[in-house]
Every structure is written in C-alpha cells, then in structure tokens.
Amino acid sequence: MKQLLALVLTFTLSVAGWTQSLRDTVRLAAFMDGVIQTHLRDLHIAGATVSVIQDGNVVLAKGYGFSDIEKRTPVDPASSLFRIGSISKMFTWISVMQLVSQGKLKLDEDINHYLKDFKIPETYPKPITLTDLMTHTPGFEDLVIGLFAKDSLSLKPLAEIFQTQMPARVRPPGSFSSYSNHGTGMAAYIVEQVSGVSFNQYVEQNILGPLQMNHTSFRQPLPARLRPDLSKGYKYEDGEFVEQGFEYVPLYPVGAAASSAMDMTHFMSAILQHGKWNGARILDSATLALMEQPAHRHHPAVNPMRYGFMDLSRNGVTVIGHGGNTFWFHSLMVIFPESNSGLFISFNTDKGGSTSLDVMNQFMDEYFPEKNPLKASVATNRKSLQAFEGNYRVNRFAYRDITTVSSLFGHVKISVKDSTQLKVVFGDKVKYYVPIGDLTFREVNSSSVIAFRADKDLGVTNMFLGEMPILALDKVSGLQSTLFHALLFVTFVVVMLVVLIYLPLAAFSRGGYKFIGAPKSMSAWTRGVAWFNYFLSLVFFLGLVVVLSNPEDIVYGVSSSLKFLLALPLLCIFLTGWMVINVFRLAGDVEYKTSSRVFYTFITLVSVAELWQLYYWNFIGYNY
C-alpha cells in the first residue's frame, strides 16, 4: 500500500510540475523564442505562428518573422492564417463522429452503403469501414497525381474526383496502416451524403461556427474577408525568399484549411474539455473519449492509430494529434491529455519540412522529459540479428501509375553492427538499436522503439516505427530492391552509349570496303534499327530529366510534354521486336561474324530487359 501511495504521489507531483512550468508564461515564452528564432535563422524560414494552451487557458500565442516579406507584415497569432495541411483531416473526423453520435453513421458499416456516385471495388472479401478510413487501414494505394491544382478552375466536387481517381485496393482492410488522403476524402464525401450539405457548409455550421473560429476556412480561394490575413508561402532558394502562389487542394477536406494560431486554441481546447468550448459543444464526451481510444496497432510495442488521431506518444507521455504539410506550409497540432495541454505550430516556408516535429521534441524534452526507465536489452547473438538485415520500403505509394518509381527511394537499410545491436539507416540518419524482445528493439540511450513482424515460413516481413503509426514498412529484396534496379539501369545506360557511339563509328571505319572472303557485315537497316531504338531511349530519359526536373510538379497532373514522352517507349517496343527478329535471322547465318551476332544479341536482350523495367514501373502506356 505504501508503494502504491508513493507511486500516486509521484505521478500527481509530476503532473503538477508540468502545469506549473507551462503556466510560467515568461519562461515558456523565452524558451519558445529561443527555439523558433533559431529554426527561422538556421533553416531560412520566413515566419511561424505558435500557440500553447493549459487547462483551457491560452498560455502562449505568438507570431515570429513575417507573413508577407515584401510588405514586412509581421505574423499575428490572432489573425494571420497559415495553411494547416492534413490537420484539416481532424475536422473531417470530428464531422464523422458527430454523425456517428447521432446514429446516422456506423463505424463498422461497409462504406459502400453510404456511397451514391461511386462504389469501392470488391477486391477483398472484407469490406472497408469508417474505422478503416479513420485508422488509415482501408488498404488503398497512395495517389499523388492531381493531389494539388494550380487554379480554382481545376477544382471539382468530391464525387467527380472519385469517379476518375479511385485508388486501387492493394491489401486487405484492417491489416496495415498506410496514410491515405483519398480514404479521408471518401469519409468527407460520406459526411456530405448523410448531412445533405457540402462539406464546407457542414464544417462551418457544426465546428467553425460553434467554436468561433472566425479566422479559419476550407474554402478555395479564401473568402474575401480573410484573404488579406493569409500568410504568403515561400520557397528559399539562391539566398532569398521567393513568394509562392496559393496552393489549391482538390480533396479539400483532407488538406485545404487555413487557420490562425488563436483559432486552433479553440479547437484544441474543445478536444481537451470533452468536446466543449466557451459554452459550445461540438461533440459529446463519450464519443470524443471513443475517438481517443486505440483503434489499430501494428505491434504491442508501437503507438496505435486512434479514431482519426495519430498517436505520437513518446518519453512515456501520451501525445495525440496530427501533422500537416503542403509545399510551403508545415504544421503540427498535438494534445497532451495527461497535463490537459496542447501545442500548435506552423511554418510558412518550404524549409520547414520536419521542423514542426523538431520543435515538438524540444518542447517535450523541456516540459515532458522521459519519465520511465529505459527497458533493459536482452541477450542475443549475431545470427539471430541477421534475420532483420535488409532493405525496408514504406508501404505508402501508388502501385499502378508512373509515380510507382518513387518507392525505390527512401528505403530503410538495416545491418548488424555487432552481436548486440542493429544499425538502421534512415536516409542520411544512422541510429543503433538494441533488442528488448523477440521482435522489438530500443534505440540506444532512448525509449524510441522499432518492431518487426515475422512469418513462420517467410521470416521477417515488416518493420514498424514506434512513433509513426500511420505506415508500415515492407521488407524487399530481389526484383523489388533498389540495388537490382539501379544495376539494371546503369547497365542499360552503358550499353546505350556504346551502341550510339560504336555503331556509327564501325560503319564509318568500314567505309564501304569489303575484303574478299571477309564475313558479311550486318545491313545498314539492321544496325539502324538498333541505333534508332537506343536513340529514342536516350531522348526519353533525357526528356524525363527535363520534364521532371522538379518532381513535385507531378502532383498537379501530367503535362503535355510528359504525355508525348510516354509515346517513345511504345515505339521502342516495336523497334526492340524488330531487333529480336533480326537476332533469329542472324543466328543461323554463319556468314556473319560470331562476335557481331553475339554483340547484336546482347544489345537486344538489354533492350528487352529495359522495356521490362519500364513496364515494372508503369512507364509502358499512359498510366496516370
């Protein structure tokens, strides 16, 4: 009993310590000033807006830098609107749960029952439910082409978008999380169908209005009264800030909202105060409590997905919320239920990509430091650890269009450092992990974990990041590996250069002379077909480099130039087929030099292999 009382007292005092620290507004402001201003200076970010709440009170609301550099307009936390990206999804999930609480929606119902203008293909026996959408486990591929638009003329009703942009079902629902913009968009469409009004109208009437979020809107372009307050978005290049245009999001319920830091305090407070703010209620306490419960978990050791909320818990502290990114704005909203507090932050420059998460980590280290002892490592050996070696690919990508090739990049590489640790390479970051269970590892000197899934026959198949429940990683090898495709492509490039240079030189060196008794030379047509085939390939790949010099442009759609380039591989199929015929024709004719026949056969096989590679990555045909 004494031990229990001591434990309760320790926990109570720790919570009291958090409250006292956050309510020391002078200290909090000084801390945040140092953190934000350092990031703005070092990363070349034009401006930021921040708010912190505690027990329903705003303990910090501050702007940093400029919302308009040319006019030298400072960021105002009360009025400056920043695009909050995927934090918009939380308004969609609150809308869904409002209708669930009214009995108009059921979380475990097949969503096809609510869809009127399109239907989900019955690829798997198990139907997709709203719970699957809220936990990002519907099993959809991730489509990025058309995710943004350049003007309002490209915006369409949600129904029309899904009639032309239906993501493929690539895994059974409820199995693995894979962050899905289109899944959330479907939930917003369901809100429209059940409520009978547009999503914009619904959110304004049922969330923004009651919470007096007068500086928040999903509308594109923004209402006239809000446009002067919208922060510019910036790209930092060549030593200066370059102003960018308004970012249009066709699937607007998943990422189009703009809001101020003060408005976001109303939203965070409503979540922390059981669905109520300033006398207005947006959700009953029981339904909100359900939203905050774990709904899907990849592994017992990693954070779960909750009903719409991402679980970002770390340091032994419960953290729920959502991040949001556009090209120029990077935001994060996190709630700390145990201390009844919340943090919102947003940056208005492309360089702010991971900065919001960095600020959260610094904020937590200052106010919510690690409170649990690190789990002890378990004994192991090199042979046991070798089962985890290999490359792991994030499961979020398009499976059927030309952006599939992006899945080649960003692999996580795992190797065994010694008999006690795994070396894990995340891009340019290297971390080391020690085992704390059969399939669970803890970072050295940190409570951050990774976990794995193993199959009795296949061995280790998946990797999970402890603090990132919205995705899983698949172990890849062979035809799926980056190394294999890199070697195949390099081989093709070398052969291409040899063919384009050697064949003309060989023809020129012969100069039309033929010695008596010399083997026959291949005809100009035979050589020409091979040379032209490889020349078209060169034009195709150089064209891709030019057209996709900024690979992010693909999110706006496929340009006319890219459509033209996609015709070239189709011509290469015809030319390669002609080369294959020539191989068989030459094979039985001993009058041709053996070396010439072998060379021609080799370059034909390489061309066939490269066409297969283009087919593998969906560049054969018009896949977009």
Side-chain angles (χ1 to χ4, degrees):
M1 179 60 71
K2 290 183 178 179
Q3 291 178 332
L4 178 60
L5 288 174
L7 183 62
V8 172
L9 180 61
T10 299
F11 178 76
T12 303
L13 288 175
S14 66
V15 172
W18 297 338
T19 304
Q20 184 179 4
S21 297
L22 285 175
R23 287 193 169 179
D24 184 346
T25 56
V26 174
R27 178 176 176 271
L28 175 62
F31 167 78
M32 198 61 75
D33 287 352
V35 170
I36 302 300
Q37 289 171 354
T38 298
H39 282 295
L40 264 59
R41 180 195 66 211
D42 294 348
L43 298 177
H44 306 292
I45 299 173
T49 188
V50 180
S51 58
V52 180
I53 61 171
Q54 173 74 54
D55 293 330
N57 299 310
V58 178
V59 292
L60 177 69
K62 198 165 184 179
Y64 298 87
F66 300 99
S67 63
D68 187 324
I69 291 179
E70 183 179 358
K71 296 180 180 179
R72 309 301 288 178
T73 305
V75 175
D76 185 333
S79 60
S80 296
L81 279 74
F82 279 50
R83 305 298 294 280
I84 62 173
S86 287
I87 298 176
S88 306
K89 291 180 174 66
M90 289 310 307
F91 294 85
T92 300
W93 302 133
I94 292 290
S95 300
V96 167
M97 296 305 283
Q98 286 176 338
L99 296 173
V100 168
S101 68
Q102 296 167 21
K104 297 178 180 179
L105 291 176
K106 294 182 179 179
L107 292 174
D108 58 355
E109 183 68 83
D110 181 348
I111 62 172
N112 269 331
H113 292 172
Y114 302 116
L115 304 178
K116 298 179 181 179
D117 300 291
F118 61 92
K119 294 294 181 182
I120 306 299
E122 296 181 0
T123 309
Y124 298 95
K126 185 180 178 182
I128 296 172
T129 66
L130 280 169
T131 295
D132 295 325
L133 297 183
M134 298 186 79
T135 55
H136 294 280
T137 59
F140 290 135
E141 65 175 337
D142 184 52
L143 302 181
V144 298
I145 298 177
L147 198 58
F148 284 80
K150 294 186 176 181
D151 54 58
S152 60
L153 298 177
S154 303
L155 304 181
K156 300 176 182 178
L158 295 177
E160 289 187 30
I161 293 175
F162 288 112
Q163 287 168 355
T164 58
Q165 288 185 21
M166 176 58 64
R169 299 180 66 181
V170 295
R171 63 183 65 86
S175 54
F176 295 107
S177 288
S178 179
Y179 192 75
S180 176
N181 285 303
H182 284 74
T184 308
M186 289 178 190
Y189 168 83
I190 290 172
V191 169
E192 289 186 335
Q193 297 307 302
V194 173
S195 67
V197 298
S198 72
F199 184 80
N200 274 331
Q201 290 176 285
Y202 184 91
V203 169
E204 289 166 357
Q205 293 170 5
N206 295 280
I207 301 177
L208 304 184
L211 295 183
Q212 298 178 32
M213 297 179 71
N214 300 320
H215 281 80
T216 302
S217 179
F218 279 77
R219 295 187 180 273
Q220 304 175 100
L222 286 170
R225 67 177 180 84
L226 295 178
R227 290 176 200 170
D229 294 326
L230 177 65
S231 171
K232 306 291 186 181
Y234 293 95
K235 181 176 184 178
Y236 186 80
E237 58 182 359
D238 299 326
E240 63 180 3
F241 292 100
V242 181
E243 181 182 322
Q244 304 297 314
F246 185 85
E247 297 171 279
Y248 290 91
V249 184
L251 282 175
Y252 65 95
V254 314
S259 187
S260 70
M262 280 299 294
D263 267 23
M264 291 304 296
T265 66
H266 302 180
F267 189 63
M268 291 189 294
S269 294
I271 294 171
L272 285 168
Q273 296 179 119
H274 314 293
K276 189 177 180 180
W277 176 84
N278 198 28
R281 179 172 291 281
I282 60 169
L283 199 60
D284 65 271
S285 59
T287 304
L288 185 56
L290 173 62
M291 283 189 74
E292 297 177 5
Q293 296 301 307
H296 178 270
R297 194 190 299 263
H298 285 128
H299 184 280
V302 305
N303 291 350
M305 267 304 299
R306 304 184 185 234
Y307 289 90
F309 286 104
M310 292 170 56
D311 189 316
L312 302 171
S313 300
R314 59 201 67 198
N315 292 0
V317 178
T318 301
V319 186
I320 60 174
H322 214 290
N325 296 286
T326 67
F327 285 126
W328 321 126
F329 292 86
H330 304 281
S331 311
L332 182 67
M333 179 198 77
V334 285
I335 304 294
F336 307 93
E338 295 160 346
S339 62
N340 201 32
S341 57
L343 166 69
F344 169 77
I345 183 166
S346 185
F347 297 93
N348 64 3
T349 307
D350 63 325
K351 301 297 183 181
S354 61
T355 311
S356 54
L357 195 59
D358 291 340
V359 171
M360 185 195 86
N361 287 331
Q362 290 177 275
F363 179 78
M364 290 194 66
D365 288 342
E366 180 72 15
Y367 289 97
F368 306 99
E370 183 69 61
K371 66 178 184 178
N372 294 327
L374 298 181
K375 292 185 178 180
S377 60
V378 298
T380 187
N381 56 65
R382 174 175 286 274
K383 184 177 180 180
S384 297
L385 293 179
Q386 285 174 339
F388 302 96
E389 285 189 314
N391 291 297
Y392 294 79
R393 176 182 64 189
V394 173
N395 66 350
R396 184 191 176 194
F397 59 91
Y399 284 67
R400 303 180 305 173
D401 66 38
I402 57 177
T403 65
T404 304
V405 71
S406 65
S407 66
L408 274 178
F409 309 102
H411 286 197
V412 173
K413 184 178 181 180
I414 295 181
S415 58
V416 177
K417 179 190 177 186
D418 52 40
S419 59
T420 64
Q421 295 182 26
L422 291 180
K423 177 183 177 181
V424 183
V425 181
F426 303 87
D428 59 351
K429 295 182 179 180
V430 179
K431 296 184 179 182
Y432 297 93
Y433 289 81
V434 295
I436 55 176
D438 289 340
L439 297 170
T440 313
F441 293 77
R442 169 181 58 77
E443 187 180 359
V444 174
N445 301 323
S446 168
S447 62
S448 178
V449 301
I450 58 174
F452 297 85
R453 177 181 179 271
D455 182 272
K456 182 176 65 174
D457 299 319
L458 301 176
V460 175
T461 58
N462 299 94
M463 172 184 175
F464 311 113
L465 306 178
E467 297 161 0
M468 192 61 63
I470 58 172
L471 53 83
L473 293 92
D474 302 321
K475 192 174 184 180
V476 295
S477 60
L479 297 182
Q480 297 176 320
S481 70
T482 301
L483 178 61
F484 170 78
H485 283 277
L487 289 175
L488 180 58
F489 183 69
V490 168
T491 299
F492 175 76
V493 170
V494 171
V495 171
M496 176 174 62
L497 295 176
V498 169
V499 168
L500 293 177
I501 296 172
Y502 168 74
L503 288 183
L505 287 178
F508 178 78
S509 65
R510 280 188 291 270
Y513 296 100
K514 186 178 187 318
F515 296 101
I516 297 175
K520 288 196 309 185
S521 298
M522 286 183 288
S523 69
W525 274 107
T526 301
R527 296 191 306 270
V529 167
W531 188 90
F532 190 55
N533 180 38
Y534 276 92
F535 174 74
L536 287 183
S537 296
L538 177 64
V539 172
F540 175 70
F541 288 114
L542 289 179
L544 285 183
V545 171
V546 173
V547 172
L548 299 178
S549 57
N550 182 1
E552 295 171 347
D553 286 346
I554 196 71
V555 302
Y556 297 106
V558 177
S559 66
S560 298
S561 299
L562 182 53
K563 292 177 183 178
F564 169 78
L565 287 174
L566 290 174
L568 299 184
L570 299 178
L571 293 175
C572 289
I573 292 177
F574 171 74
L575 294 171
T576 300
W578 196 342
M579 290 177 66
V580 171
I581 294 173
N582 286 336
V583 166
F584 284 101
R585 182 176 59 82
L586 296 172
D589 195 335
V590 296
E591 294 186 20
Y592 292 100
K593 291 175 62 176
T594 300
S595 59
S596 296
R597 286 182 289 171
V598 170
F599 174 74
Y600 200 86
T601 300
F602 175 69
I603 64 175
T604 300
L605 291 176
V606 170
S607 183
V608 170
E610 183 55 24
L611 285 174
W612 171 85
Q613 187 174 46
L614 290 176
Y615 172 79
Y616 187 89
W617 298 114
N618 298 313
F619 280 98
I620 300 293
Y622 293 89
N623 301 304
Y624 49 80

